[in-house]
Amino acid sequence: MSEKDMKETYEGAGVSPQDQADNPVDRILRQERMPHIWCPGCGIGTTVNCFARALEKLNIDLDNLAVVSGIGCTGRVAGYLKVDSFHTTHGRAIPFATGLKLANPKMKVVVYSGDGDLTAIGGNHLIHAARRNLDITVILVNNFTYGMTGGQYAPTTPFGSIQTTMPYGMYEHQFNIPKLVAAAGAVYVARWTVYQVAHLTRAMTEAIAKKGFSLVEVMSPCPTLYLRRNRLGEGIDEVKRFKEWAVRKDGADVNDVGISRDKPLIIGKFVDIERDEYIDLMNRQLSKKLGDRYTLYGVENGEV
Amino acid sequence: MKADPKGVLTGIHFMDGNHAACEGALAAGCRFAAGYPITPSTEVVERFAARIPVVGDGVFIQMEDELASSIAIQGAVWAGRKAMTVTSGPGISLMQEHIGLAATYEIPLVFIDVMRGGPSTGLPTLPAQGDIMQVKWGSHGDYEIITLATSSPQECFDLTIKAFNLAELYRCPVFVLLDEVVGHMLEKVVIPEADEIEVQERLWTKKTPEEYWPYDPEYGMIPGMVKAGDGYRIHTTGLTHDHRGYPNLNTKTQYEMVNRMINKIKDNADKIIEYEEDGVEGADIVVIAYGVTTRVAKKAIEDARKKGIKVGLLKLVVVWPMPEKRIREIAKNAKALIVAEGNMGQLVYEVERLAAGNCPTTLVPHPGGGVHKPETIEKAILEAAK
Ligand SMILES: Cc1ncc(C[n+]2csc(CCOP(=O)(O)OP(=O)(O)O)c2C)c(N)n1
Ligand code: SF4
Ligand SMILES: [Mg+2]
């Protein structure tokens, strides 16, 4: 996105010009690694802006934040953030994060990765992490494609879309990601697009603050390998389209939020429930069985 | 540093190799294990799951597969823990990508592999030594690992501690190999007092966050480590990276990174290598073996000696890195080398390379499903002595 387009996008979602001037992303980026690798018009950078704002709002100690990415264009996010940040292997950011969080429960752990990484090769880890309800947050950037490898079809590619390995148009069914993770046990699930930056930022804030497994699906343009190939224009065209296409339905039944290019794109907060968290459950069960022989794990001053 | 008494089950036990390996890990300070059940290794994590809540300040988690367990432990190591996973052949095959990652991250990690017959699902409950090359070469690219082979429950305890210590010292994946029969063999295991067990502490950096980069050598060739949450705000990646841990995809960085990763092991090989010799000096025939095969070889050697043959045993305790200098020397003085191993011929090629034509090398193979008969090895000794 151009500077001007970006500005319009933010204004569209009600971020004040003042806020834009004082961009918290500058404080969290590894400046020595700029410029980043993302194409002009790519939405991933916008998601990172929102993430930086979310962290600012949460006012958390960045020393206690770890960001873990898999592999892909989105997978490069970890490498640009000036926090403890880990670029892992394709699909395995979640189990890495699981080990990190379990080994040091005082860390806030965020997994930041792409739709292919998290739902295809890493799909099994995604549902098991939701099932366990360990306290981690997943930011899933859905650009309908495998960007990094040149635009092959993903489990998210809409019907009819052309991709290099689907040259005559997508005919496989898609994952409905909110439904998938909600069914597996996620306690917070939201979907926004890079157009609604203020909502997206708030959702990230809520997800990180929420105890248990939370996921924010962010719809994001990949102009280079998805949009152009499907004659859908540039990044900004998709962002504008998001504005028309998206219909906000908080609390929507996750059965109804599957994505199709010729149906409204349902966005909003779909799931926000309470369910026992992994370490709490472990502590409860082990104390019950072992009594005094067990010392609560990961507990400081009586707080997990 | 001495072992933390909480993890040390001091006493004289009658225990199988799998349980002893678990006790070795706990004594060494391992407080995080992730695994996926697989015969014949499962008892190791079953015991860890039972023990860790009472040892305290640690976790076991059964992950959804071996890909997950072999990377969950890497998250735990970056969070400051000593960690391991436990598996057998099919699981080691699945873990290969993450063995390469651990080598590239340069983190201390222990993989316990209780070997069963392969290939594929093979012989789940029966022994073989078919993973000896896979643990060395299984992941793509160039990297170094350390491997220890056990032949008794006592060694399972002792060598698992050693594995953790080596992992910390050299910041690399370390494998502990158990043959299925060693894992399930009950023998006396002596677990000493905690203050008699030497454990290697992590090589924590002495630098401040301002001076620190994750891959600047600090202890010889080895970089100092930090853990997430300490304010160093590091980045690391499996991509070829520079001293800052930042991706840098060019030949120069690749050359520097790979060279240091390899040389930190190669140049310290003399300190890592461990082997036992029995009558090798002055022997005409030297049998080279590892793991349970050394037990059978001992019987074969005893019998051959009764027939007047001058035969010795070189038992590889550390298999990787190989005692290259010693095998070269032996090959110059002996008439023949015999490699007995529980596969159709793997380590024999390394020995043959090191013998460099100075003497012939004979393989005594075994396809797996059992261990060699002493007579088979003895026959090879007698044949070579002709
Ligand atoms: C084991 C393995 N298989 C395949 C790849 C190649 N690969 C790299 S990124 C990627 C897809 C990434 O897609 P997605 O997660 O949607 O990220 P995006 O680039 O779209 O942000 C693939 C298949 C790999 N790096 N590792
Ligand atoms: S290929 Fe697509 S997803 Fe990747 S950086 Fe370019 S626009 Fe973004
Ligand atoms: Mg994608």
Side-chain angles (χ1 to χ4, degrees), chain A residues 117-188:
Chain A
D117 184 84
L118 289 164
T119 73
I121 190 165
N124 196 32
H125 310 309
L126 179 71
I127 55 176
H128 282 278
R131 173 183 65 81
R132 291 190 187 101
N133 201 29
L134 183 67
D135 182 19
I136 60 174
T137 296
V138 175
I139 311 289
L140 182 155
V141 175
N142 182 352
N143 55 10
F144 298 134
T145 190
Y146 285 3
M148 182 60 98
T149 40
Q152 295 77 27
Y153 75 96
T156 49
T157 306
F159 276 126
S161 289
I162 306 281
Q163 292 286 265
T164 58
T165 48
M166 203 40 109
Y168 305 109
M170 177 71 167
Y171 50 76
E172 284 187 18
H173 286 288
Q174 301 75 26
F175 262 144
N176 169 345
I177 295 168
K179 181 179 172 180
L180 180 71
V181 293
V187 291
Y188 182 98

Side-chain angles (χ1 to χ4, degrees), chain A residues 30 32 62-63 76 79 82-89 92 95-96 99-100 103 107 125 128 132 278 290 294 297, chain B residues 53-54 58-59 61-65 68 72 75-76 78-79 81 98 105 228-229 231 233-237 239 246-247:
Chain A
R30 295 183 188 271
E32 68 273 24
L62 291 184
D63 283 350
R76 290 302 191 96
K82 205 167 172 173
V83 293
D84 286 318
S85 54
F86 303 92
H87 190 218
T88 61
T89 52
R92 320 297 171 194
F96 182 100
L100 181 69
M107 297 293 289
H125 310 309
H128 282 278
R132 291 190 187 101
Y278 185 89
L290 296 169
Y294 183 69
Y297 182 78
Chain B
V54 289
V59 189
I61 182 167
Q62 182 173 305
M63 295 300 288
E64 49 275 16
D65 57 30
W78 280 117
R81 300 301 183 131
H98 291 153
Y105 275 170
R233 303 199 190 177
I234 60 146
H235 180 65
T236 186
T237 172
L239 285 167
Y246 294 169

Side-chain angles (χ1 to χ4, degrees), chain A residues 26-285:
Chain A
D26 291 338
R27 288 192 286 281
I28 197 189
L29 284 188
R30 295 183 188 271
Q31 296 296 348
E32 68 273 24
R33 290 215 58 211
M34 295 299 120
H36 57 65
I37 62 154
W38 298 310
C39 310
C42 177
I44 297 171
T46 310
T47 74
V48 175
N49 270 300
C50 295
F51 185 63
R53 282 172 204 277
L55 295 177
E56 188 103 323
K57 277 194 191 162
L58 282 162
N59 200 17
I60 55 173
D61 178 0
L62 291 184
D63 283 350
N64 284 332
L65 174 75
V67 176
V68 186
S69 288
I71 305 291
C73 295
T74 316
R76 290 302 191 96
V77 167
Y80 296 129
L81 298 179
K82 205 167 172 173
V83 293
D84 286 318
S85 54
F86 303 92
H87 190 218
T88 61
T89 52
H90 191 25
R92 320 297 171 194
I94 287 179
F96 182 100
T98 300
L100 181 69
K101 175 72 184 179
L102 261 183
N104 182 357
K106 85 165 201 282
M107 297 293 289
K108 281 269 174 209
V109 181
V110 176
V111 169
Y112 213 125
S113 219
D115 52 327
D117 184 84
L118 289 164
T119 73
I121 190 165
N124 196 32
H125 310 309
L126 179 71
I127 55 176
H128 282 278
R131 173 183 65 81
R132 291 190 187 101
N133 201 29
L134 183 67
D135 182 19
I136 60 174
T137 296
V138 175
I139 311 289
L140 182 155
V141 175
N142 182 352
N143 55 10
F144 298 134
T145 190
Y146 285 3
M148 182 60 98
T149 40
Q152 295 77 27
Y153 75 96
T156 49
T157 306
F159 276 126
S161 289
I162 306 281
Q163 292 286 265
T164 58
T165 48
M166 203 40 109
Y168 305 109
M170 177 71 167
Y171 50 76
E172 284 187 18
H173 286 288
Q174 301 75 26
F175 262 144
N176 169 345
I177 295 168
K179 181 179 172 180
L180 180 71
V181 293
V187 291
Y188 182 98
V189 186
R191 176 196 286 151
W192 296 96
T193 82
V194 293
Y195 174 73
Q196 295 91 8
V197 284
H199 290 301
L200 175 55
T201 304
R202 188 171 324 113
M204 288 176 169
T205 316
E206 288 176 1
I208 295 168
K210 182 85 184 179
K211 188 168 171 178
F213 181 91
S214 53
L215 180 140
V216 180
E217 180 182 14
V218 192
M219 310 309 300
S220 169
C222 168
T224 312
L225 297 161
Y226 177 75
L227 297 174
R228 280 181 211 152
R229 190 161 289 151
N230 287 288
R231 300 179 190 282
L232 290 163
E234 295 301 317
I236 191 63
D237 299 315
E238 181 86 329
V239 175
K240 284 180 186 150
R241 204 174 300 119
F242 283 149
K243 186 180 167 189
E244 311 302 322
W245 184 18
V247 175
R248 179 175 175 182
K249 275 192 192 163
D250 289 329
D253 183 338
V254 287
N255 282 300
D256 304 332
V257 305
I259 297 173
S260 156
R261 288 211 80 100
D262 41 51
K263 276 198 322 200
L265 173 69
I266 311 295
I267 56 169
K269 179 161 79 179
F270 304 139
V271 177
D272 192 352
I273 58 167
E274 301 305 318
R275 191 165 164 265
D276 289 329
E277 192 271 342
Y278 185 89
I279 296 179
D280 286 348
L281 285 169
M282 175 176 90
N283 275 332
R284 203 177 305 156
Q285 182 66 18

